[in-house]
Amino acid sequence: RRVLFRSSEDEIGDAGAMAIARMLPGSTVEVLDISKIAIQDRGTAALTDAVLNLSQRGHSITIKGKKLPGALLKIKEGEKYIDVSSDGLGDACAKMIAELLPGSSVEDIDLCENVITDAGIVEIAKVLKDTCIKILNLGSNAFGDEGAIALGSALLGSSVEALDLCNNDIRDEGMAEIAKALRDSKGQQL
């Protein structure tokens, strides 16, 4: 079975997406196309969590229109490159990603052009040393000094070699921590 929402006029939002997520475990839906509706962070997180739970029980479902569900499955399957750029992700989704990264094979992750704030970046920074990420793109999000300070502290001892922080609201304090990490990285290529 296939469920398709055709136009941006379908006013489903987060509450509707969470209701769909609660319905999925007992359904026979194979494809859910949400490419034309306005689901934000909480709704995306709920649908993604439902898809992951179904996957663990052997039921395969495809969600079209959002990259996150497929990306999380790819992390679990050992993919090295993960692209969730421009997916409208916020902090709840960033936390879901952060929880799966330690011990994964991911070396390159593109999280640019989302709406990840300081809280989401802090979650990613907490696990950075336990990953093999070499390329981390966080450009064009919505974080500032708090997120940059957490990243600066996490960079030392991490595998990160390339970091994109452009178009965020990082000020002097955050840049000072990033600069300190660059200075102290000695043998680490950053």
Side-chain angles (χ1 to χ4, degrees):
R1 290 176 55 191
R2 182 183 190 100
V3 177
L4 172 66
F5 298 97
R6 293 198 178 271
S7 75
S8 58
E9 296 170 11
D10 292 328
E11 296 290 331
I12 292 174
D14 283 342
M18 289 186 276
I20 292 168
R22 288 189 300 274
M23 171 275 308
L24 286 175
S27 77
T28 57
V29 172
E30 295 173 3
V31 177
L32 181 63
D33 189 338
I34 57 172
S35 58
K36 303 283 185 181
I37 59 176
I39 297 175
Q40 300 301 315
D41 194 39
R42 288 183 18 226
T44 300
L47 284 171
T48 300
D49 192 44
V51 169
L52 290 174
N53 287 333
L54 286 170
S55 172
Q56 290 172 345
R57 295 194 322 243
H59 178 84
S60 177
I61 183 170
T62 302
I63 295 184
K64 293 185 175 182
K66 288 285 187 180
K67 297 176 187 176
L68 184 63
L72 292 180
L73 290 174
K74 287 179 180 181
I75 292 171
K76 286 186 162 193
E77 293 167 356
E79 294 280 332
K80 293 184 183 239
Y81 173 67
I82 304 298
D83 177 8
V84 283
S85 61
S86 306
D87 208 28
L89 306 180
D91 298 332
C93 293
K95 184 175 181 177
M96 290 178 87
I97 291 168
E99 289 171 352
L100 292 177
L101 287 174
S104 74
S105 299
V106 176
E107 294 179 0
D108 182 348
I109 187 163
D110 189 344
L111 293 163
C112 77
E113 296 181 15
N114 284 292
V115 288
I116 303 171
T117 69
D118 288 319
I121 298 299
V122 167
E123 293 299 323
I124 292 168
K126 285 179 188 175
V127 301
L128 202 54
K129 290 179 183 176
D130 299 323
T131 73
C132 57
I133 293 174
K134 294 179 182 176
I135 301 170
L136 179 59
N137 186 349
L138 298 170
S140 299
N141 274 288
F143 67 93
D145 284 344
E146 183 182 348
I149 290 167
L151 279 172
S153 298
L155 286 172
L156 291 174
S158 76
S159 304
V160 175
E161 297 173 0
L163 177 65
D164 185 341
L165 300 174
C166 71
N167 297 321
N168 284 292
D169 194 25
I170 302 170
R171 304 282 185 221
D172 292 343
E173 188 179 357
M175 285 311 293
E177 193 65 32
I178 297 293
K180 180 179 180 229
L182 291 171
R183 183 189 68 231
D184 295 344
S185 62
K186 299 200 174 98
Q188 183 183 0
Q189 236 185 347
L190 189 60

